[in-house]
Amino acid sequence: MTFSALTIFILGLVAAVVLVVGLWAYGTANRLDRLHVRSDQSWLALDAALSRRAAVVRAAAVDMSADDARRFVTLADAAERADRQDRELAENRLSNALAAYGTTSLRPQLVAELADAEARVLIARRFHNDAVRDTLALRTRRLVRWLHLGGTAPLPQYFEISERTTAAAVPEGITVDTSRTSARVVMLDEDDRVLLLRGHDPKIPNTYFWFTVGGGLERGEHLRAAAVREIEEETGFKVAPENLRGPLWRRVAIFPFDGELIRSEELFFATRTHGFEPVFQGHTELEQRAITGHRWCSADEIRRLAKSGEPVYPLDLANLLVEAATIADGSEDPEVRSIR
């Protein structure tokens, strides 16, 4: 039995198509598996953050009145013990109670612990929902569903709880004009030098300070997307979102700028890149007036800048560069911790 050239061509074409589809299906199935692992891990991190908040609330109840203490302990216990399907409702009850409760009766260290616990919940929830979004986007594609590439794994679920609409942990007697969340990036070159920008308050033009790349989140924007956008706007350099590690640090700062008092909750990412010359093309008019220069700095150079009277923010950056370099070169996002 002989085959014509056309038959051989068709068979070869079919075999090629089957091979391409098979390779695509194999790669997609592996990617789905990684996304499911990411969703599971993000839920475990969120669960840990929620449990930590419940523990801090129970500790803070010691400083509350008897009625408030009973109410918050009950809410915290109910939230921590709730099943997955009831967890949102229970955690929202606790969140709403915390948002309505004044913290002036609590000791300062408990106020700080509570603010930090709430911030960790906020970060963990955002990362979990990002993981769920990415997983669902792939799982719900028609070809993926037809080929059952997701297997029998259940679809991950978003977790939505209310967040504070006002700043927490602002010292008594201080009125804040603006509260914002900022994404900042420790950009490290081959020699572990960090890219710093030099600036000043437009109202105080002769006092300079140095800071990492980054800025405030826009409405509806996610932390990682904001970090990528800020890098490009402030340096002209493009970084892929997956090349950012973090957030690794959280810093809360209250400072005056351009006639306003700003409370900024800063979340830091780290990334490794090559040394490059920044191109300032995306700066606003205010940033053009406030940012005056840049420099790639080693830890020793950061210390020399601080001694010269030009502080570097965050204040512990010189001592933190080794940690940032280790995380930037790794493949896992670390647990967020507070810095100053």
Side-chain angles (χ1 to χ4, degrees):
M1 176 176 161
T2 59
F3 294 97
S4 67
L6 179 59
T7 302
I8 295 174
F9 173 77
I10 292 174
L11 290 175
L13 183 61
V14 170
V17 170
V18 171
L19 178 62
V20 169
V21 172
L23 290 173
W24 174 85
Y26 177 77
T28 302
N30 281 337
R31 184 183 171 199
L32 265 177
D33 183 61
R34 292 194 298 271
L35 286 172
H36 279 294
V37 170
R38 177 186 164 201
S39 296
D40 291 341
Q41 290 178 338
S42 66
W43 167 250
L44 292 175
L46 176 56
D47 179 66
L50 292 169
S51 296
R52 181 177 181 273
R53 182 177 72 163
V56 174
V57 169
R58 285 192 287 268
V62 175
D63 285 5
M64 300 177 183
S65 66
D67 289 341
D68 284 335
R70 281 193 296 271
R71 178 167 64 95
F72 275 99
V73 169
T74 300
L75 288 171
D77 289 345
E80 196 168 21
R81 295 170 183 171
D83 294 332
R84 177 65 178 85
Q85 59 269 25
D86 301 321
R87 191 73 177 271
E88 278 188 12
L89 179 60
E91 294 290 352
N92 268 311
R93 287 171 177 165
L94 179 57
S95 293
N96 292 335
L98 287 170
Y101 183 76
T103 58
T104 55
S105 63
L106 303 179
R107 285 169 288 169
Q109 57 266 40
L110 283 176
V111 175
E113 280 289 318
L114 186 57
D116 185 67
E118 289 187 295
R120 289 173 184 267
V121 169
L122 169 63
I123 296 166
R125 185 188 69 82
R126 287 178 176 174
F127 273 92
H128 174 68
N129 285 347
D130 283 351
V132 171
R133 180 200 63 217
D134 294 344
T135 305
L136 292 178
L138 188 57
R139 276 286 298 270
T140 55
R141 289 182 183 177
R142 187 173 302 171
L143 193 56
V144 172
R145 288 188 286 108
W146 286 350
L147 296 177
H148 300 287
L149 298 182
T152 58
L155 289 174
Q157 297 178 344
Y158 289 105
F159 193 84
E160 299 295 348
I161 57 175
S162 57
E163 301 174 4
R164 282 184 182 267
T165 56
T166 57
V170 176
E172 187 176 359
I174 294 180
T175 301
V176 173
D177 297 301
T178 302
S179 291
R180 70 183 186 187
T181 300
S182 298
R184 309 211 69 86
V185 185
V186 180
M187 300 187 69
L188 297 163
D189 70 2
E190 306 93 327
D191 299 318
D192 287 344
R193 298 181 304 169
V194 59
L195 177 60
L196 296 177
L197 304 180
R198 185 178 189 245
H200 64 270
D201 186 334
K203 303 291 185 183
I204 314 173
N206 296 322
T207 301
Y208 293 95
F209 52 87
W210 296 80
F211 52 95
T212 57
V213 173
L217 274 65
E218 297 178 351
R219 177 177 289 274
E221 190 175 35
H222 293 284
L223 276 171
R224 192 175 297 268
V228 171
R229 174 182 54 78
E230 287 290 340
I231 291 172
E232 185 171 3
E233 289 180 355
E234 295 193 344
T235 71
F237 193 78
K238 293 184 179 181
V239 174
E242 61 270 19
N243 290 337
L244 295 177
R245 298 271 72 81
L248 58 156
W249 307 322
R250 170 183 177 261
R251 173 178 180 262
V252 176
I254 299 175
F255 54 90
F257 187 79
D258 200 31
E260 288 190 343
L261 189 63
I262 297 173
R263 179 191 185 274
S264 180
E265 182 176 347
E266 301 173 343
L267 289 309
F268 288 79
F269 292 86
T271 189
R272 176 75 71 178
T273 183
H274 59 81
F276 64 93
E277 188 68 17
V279 178
F280 304 111
Q281 295 180 338
H283 286 181
T284 64
E285 185 274 334
L286 177 60
E287 289 172 333
Q288 290 174 5
R289 289 191 289 122
I291 298 176
T292 60
H294 67 276
R295 182 186 299 181
W296 290 91
C297 292
S298 65
D300 288 339
E301 288 170 328
I302 290 174
R303 296 186 182 100
R304 284 196 290 271
L305 285 172
K307 286 183 179 180
S308 72
E310 295 188 0
V312 179
Y313 298 103
L315 294 175
D316 292 333
L317 185 58
N319 298 324
L320 293 170
L321 285 188
V322 172
E323 177 186 353
T326 301
I327 292 172
D329 293 335
S331 58
E332 301 294 331
D333 290 328
E335 181 179 351
V336 182
R337 69 181 187 86
S338 296
I339 62 170
R340 63 188 181 93

